[in-house]
Amino acid sequence: MSYYVELTMNYNTIVLSKRFAKWYRVCFRRGEKDLKKITIIVAAHKAYPMPDIQMYLPVQVGSAISAALPYVRDDTGRNISEKNKTFCELTGLYWGWNHLDAEYIGL
C-alpha cells in the first residue's frame, strides 16, 4: 500500500489530509524508523504557527538579508541565503540538501 502527502495552501494555512494525518499517527505510535528519514522544510519569512509534527522543520529563508525569526536559519554553513530575492524558497531547500541527514527532503 502506498501513501502520499496531500498539502493544500488555504490563506497561508497548511492543511494536512485526514488520510495522511491518520497514517502518520499510526506509524509514530509504532515507532517506525521510516518517519525519521523524512524531513519537510517549511519555508518561512515571518513568524507563524507551525505544524507540531516531527518531520516538519521550519526554516527562515533569506535570513542573511532579513530580521531573525525563532526558526532554523538558512544562513549557516554552506548556503545561498543572500540570493533569496532571486531564488526564493529554494535557498531553504539548498540549505537542507547540504545540512540535513534525511533520506527524503521536501519543501
Side-chain angles (χ1 to χ4, degrees):
M1 179 181 283
S2 64
Y3 295 95
Y4 58 94
V5 177
E6 288 179 33
L7 295 176
T8 57
M9 296 305 291
N10 182 8
Y11 300 103
N12 294 328
T13 302
I14 297 175
V15 180
L16 227 59
S17 74
K18 290 181 182 178
R19 181 178 179 184
F20 175 74
K22 181 179 178 183
W23 168 80
Y24 179 82
R25 283 192 300 272
V26 169
C27 291
F28 188 76
R29 282 188 205 123
R30 286 191 214 152
E32 291 190 18
K33 295 179 182 178
D34 288 344
L35 294 178
K36 295 178 182 175
K37 297 178 184 178
I38 302 170
T39 300
I40 298 175
I41 296 171
V42 180
H45 293 227
K46 59 183 180 178
Y48 191 81
M50 293 293 169
D52 189 26
I53 298 178
Q54 182 182 3
M55 74 172 70
Y56 287 102
L57 176 65
V59 174
Q60 178 186 359
V61 293
S63 56
I65 56 174
S66 60
L69 293 176
Y71 306 129
V72 175
R73 299 171 54 93
D74 73 343
D75 65 349
T76 58
R78 188 172 180 181
N79 69 81
I80 57 171
S81 182
E82 68 281 348
K83 298 179 181 182
N84 182 261
K85 289 184 179 183
T86 305
F87 294 106
C88 302
E89 289 82 9
L90 292 178
T91 62
L93 188 60
Y94 182 85
W95 177 88
W97 173 61
N98 283 291
H99 298 278
L100 296 177
D101 184 26
E103 193 169 329
Y104 303 101
I105 298 174
L107 178 63

